[in-house]
Amino acid sequence: METVLSTLSPPLDFKGLSQEEQDSLLGQVEIWRYMTCFTDSVALKTVIELRIADIIDRYGKPLSLSQIVENIEDAPSPDASLLQRVLRVMVRRKIFSAEVSETGETLYGLTRASKWILRDTKMTLSPMLLLENHPIHLNPAHHISEIIREGTKNGTAFFRCHGHEQFEMTGLDPEYNKLFNEGMVCTARVVSKAVITGYRDGFNQIKSLVDVGGGIGGSLSEIVRAYPHINAINFDLPHVVATAPKYDGITHVGGDMFVSIPSADAIYMKWILHDWSDEHCVKILKNCRKAIPEKGGKVIIVDHVLRPDGNELFTDVGIAFDMMLLAHNAGGKERTEENWKWLFKETGFARYNIIKINALPSIIEAFPI
């Protein structure tokens, strides 16, 4: 109860209430909070679409409501009173700061959080947030109870919602495809920076590296730029690598990871296995096992290690991602250490090592011997 009370401001007045009545009231508050928490994401999406953080950043100082409104692009008749209500939510959630000037105006400024929703910068999470809030991406969640009742033999929640699986949908809807690709690129930048920084000793020892499911090679190019001694292969489906740009030190190879994987000292997979069922992951990892040398070979997996009872920085985010995968994929999930351990045992990896980095996923090394 103390934990809940500490989040309520101002504290509830329990005078005259029995313990049972207090518990009932607190339970009611908790359900109301979870019922309405989606509005935070809606408000965040709104300020990203209006580029509010970029407007403030451009001036380099906190701005008044009127100054912000004047700088919103493609706004023939902006309503300042409506924006003020959205900003009130964002200030409450510490996405923006608010201070009163000498003239009595409220000035809105950037915080450590709002710097991550700037759209005119490389290190941003804005595209990912816009993707997660797009109706195509979000609406399948309304079908989760159906697949729990009936299983996924008649399709995933995503399929039941749209009549196509997620990766098919990206080829059918240009807007969704654009959002999806931009979301993947922005998270790749954020995660790749943490991987490169947190895995220096690991990359220094590698001479050849294959990025399985590497898309058009963006993540791999960052690794090779930081470690130019590595001879790298970007491996993905033929139609994907066909559009990949040229990078120094990287060869693009088309193929199917369920059939075979090019040989190298090490295999790299970032946010690949969480999209697939255990059965699919076993096939992929067995092919990885065949592609690396018995001695000195390794598989480098960049994926989340779910700790449901933990209280770490990204614990709640990992649980939320698992819910998204429940709606979008057949068998895809965020895995606990026990889940990873089982996969490695099934696929012939004698040992593994988990390295925490400053990002949502961890680095998981798997070794043949």
Side-chain angles (χ1 to χ4, degrees), residues 9 14 75 82 95 166 196 206 208 218 224 247 285 293 312-313 324 333 342 353 368:
S9 181
F14 289 136
L82 298 182
I95 304 299
Q166 182 181 27
I196 290 167
I206 296 171
S208 58
V224 172
Y247 295 107
L285 286 170
E312 299 172 342
L313 281 175
M324 296 175 201
K333 60 184 177 182
W342 180 88
N353 183 36

Side-chain angles (χ1 to χ4, degrees), residues 66-141:
S66 60
Q67 288 175 309
I68 293 172
V69 169
E70 288 172 0
N71 284 275
I72 298 175
E73 297 179 358
D74 301 320
S77 55
D79 192 317
S81 64
L82 298 182
L83 176 59
Q84 185 178 34
R85 289 160 63 183
V86 174
L87 290 177
R88 181 168 58 197
V89 177
M90 294 290 88
V91 170
R92 177 77 175 178
R93 301 294 178 247
K94 295 182 171 55
I95 304 299
F96 294 112
S97 63
E99 58 186 74
V100 179
S101 69
E102 295 179 355
T103 61
E105 283 187 303
T106 299
L107 301 178
Y108 299 95
L110 300 181
T111 66
R112 64 188 183 189
S114 50
K115 291 176 182 178
W116 282 97
I117 60 169
L118 293 169
R119 297 187 67 176
D120 300 329
T121 180
K122 283 188 175 181
M123 298 302 288
T124 178
L125 288 172
S126 287
M128 190 63 175
L129 188 134
L130 294 176
L131 170 65
E132 295 296 347
N133 282 273
H134 191 280
I136 290 178
H137 210 71
L138 194 58
N139 288 348

Side-chain angles (χ1 to χ4, degrees), residues 187-327:
T187 54
R189 288 195 187 110
V190 173
V191 173
S192 293
K193 181 179 179 181
V195 168
I196 290 167
T197 302
Y199 198 59
R200 287 192 179 95
D201 292 340
F203 285 125
N204 282 332
Q205 301 166 6
I206 296 171
K207 293 182 179 179
S208 58
L209 179 69
V210 175
D211 185 355
V212 174
I216 60 173
S219 293
L220 190 58
S221 70
E222 296 292 330
I223 293 172
V224 172
R225 186 177 296 115
Y227 302 93
H229 69 278
I230 295 177
N231 291 317
I233 293 175
N234 178 54
F235 181 69
D236 211 311
L237 294 170
H239 75 271
V240 175
V241 297
T243 62
K246 290 184 178 180
Y247 295 107
D248 290 339
I250 295 176
T251 302
H252 298 294
V253 175
D256 186 341
M257 63 185 175
F258 294 107
V259 177
S260 66
I261 291 170
S263 298
D265 294 336
I267 305 296
Y268 181 79
M269 288 186 288
K270 179 177 67 62
W271 269 336
I272 299 298
L273 297 182
H274 78 166
D275 283 332
W276 298 97
S277 68
D278 288 343
E279 181 182 0
H280 286 97
C281 286
V282 166
K283 291 179 181 178
I284 297 168
L285 286 170
K286 282 184 175 180
N287 285 335
C288 290
R289 179 74 172 75
K290 295 175 184 176
I292 59 175
E294 185 81 8
K295 186 176 180 181
K298 62 182 172 180
V299 175
I300 306 162
I301 300 164
V302 180
D303 235 318
H304 189 65
V305 179
L306 192 65
R307 296 177 176 87
D309 298 325
N311 193 28
E312 299 172 342
L313 281 175
F314 290 103
T315 297
D316 285 344
V317 182
I319 292 172
F321 261 72
D322 189 54
M323 282 295 295
M324 296 175 201
L325 290 167
L326 185 63

Side-chain angles (χ1 to χ4, degrees), residues 337-369:
E337 183 172 351
E338 282 301 311
N339 296 147
W340 288 112
K341 186 177 181 180
W342 180 88
L343 280 178
F344 297 142
K345 184 179 179 181
E346 289 292 307
T347 52
F349 289 92
R351 58 190 178 93
Y352 68 93
N353 183 36
I354 297 174
I355 302 170
K356 293 182 181 180
I357 57 176
N358 294 327
L360 171 60
S362 296
I363 295 172
I364 311 164
E365 299 175 305
F367 304 92
I369 58 175

